[in-house]
Amino acid sequence: MAYPSNYRYTKEHEWVAPNGKTAKVGISDFAQNQLGDIVFVELPAVGAELKAGDALGTVESVKAVSEVYAPIAGKVKAINDELAKKPELLNQDPQGAAWMVEMELSDPADVNKLMDAPAYEKFVAEAAH
């Protein structure tokens, strides 16, 4: 799967889709592949204030439970309720319909500190070896 060029990525395999002062956040295709079949997703409450690196939620798969971290600081504006009903959506469309939260960014310029798609693809290729 290709990584969208308009997204930014973290070394913990989260993605950020910026849209002005807000951004959607999720986990990358690489992350969902590593996790295997996802069976449960826990997300923060709407209104939660998160700093970059704070726990944003958890993803439970048949292999393990993994923390998901906030890639940037901001306030949780919305959560993807669909994931509570269909956690497998993270396996099916991790970089699209399975966004996890939408955040109101503390500083939209922070997005530029994250990896772009070519840098993330290189990072993932190196991690695979």
Side-chain angles (χ1 to χ4, degrees):
M1 175 177 274
Y3 296 101
S5 61
N6 58 329
Y7 287 13
R8 294 295 181 133
Y9 302 87
T10 70
K11 290 182 177 178
E12 290 74 33
H13 307 289
E14 290 95 9
W15 56 257
V16 176
N19 184 15
K21 294 181 178 178
T22 65
K24 287 185 177 174
V25 175
I27 62 170
S28 72
D29 184 57
F30 178 83
Q32 70 83 20
N33 270 324
Q34 294 295 306
L35 289 166
D37 293 337
I38 294 171
V39 295
F40 181 76
V41 178
E42 182 178 10
L43 298 174
V46 171
E49 295 274 351
L50 301 173
K51 297 178 200 159
D54 282 355
L56 181 146
T58 56
V59 175
E60 185 175 341
S61 70
V62 293
K63 290 182 180 177
V65 176
S66 297
E67 293 277 340
V68 178
Y69 301 100
I72 45 181
K75 183 176 181 178
V76 176
K77 185 177 166 188
I79 60 170
N80 188 348
D81 290 327
E82 195 68 21
L83 292 178
K85 295 178 253 175
K86 294 174 59 181
E88 67 276 12
L89 198 57
L90 274 170
N91 293 116
Q92 297 163 352
D93 192 9
Q95 298 169 168
W99 59 275
M100 297 175 77
V101 300
E102 184 175 19
M103 296 178 70
E104 186 175 318
L105 306 178
S106 297
D107 183 355
D110 285 348
V111 171
N112 297 325
K113 297 176 184 172
L114 303 174
M115 289 184 276
D116 61 13
Y120 182 68
E121 287 174 15
K122 183 178 177 188
F123 176 75
V124 167
E126 290 171 358
H129 293 288

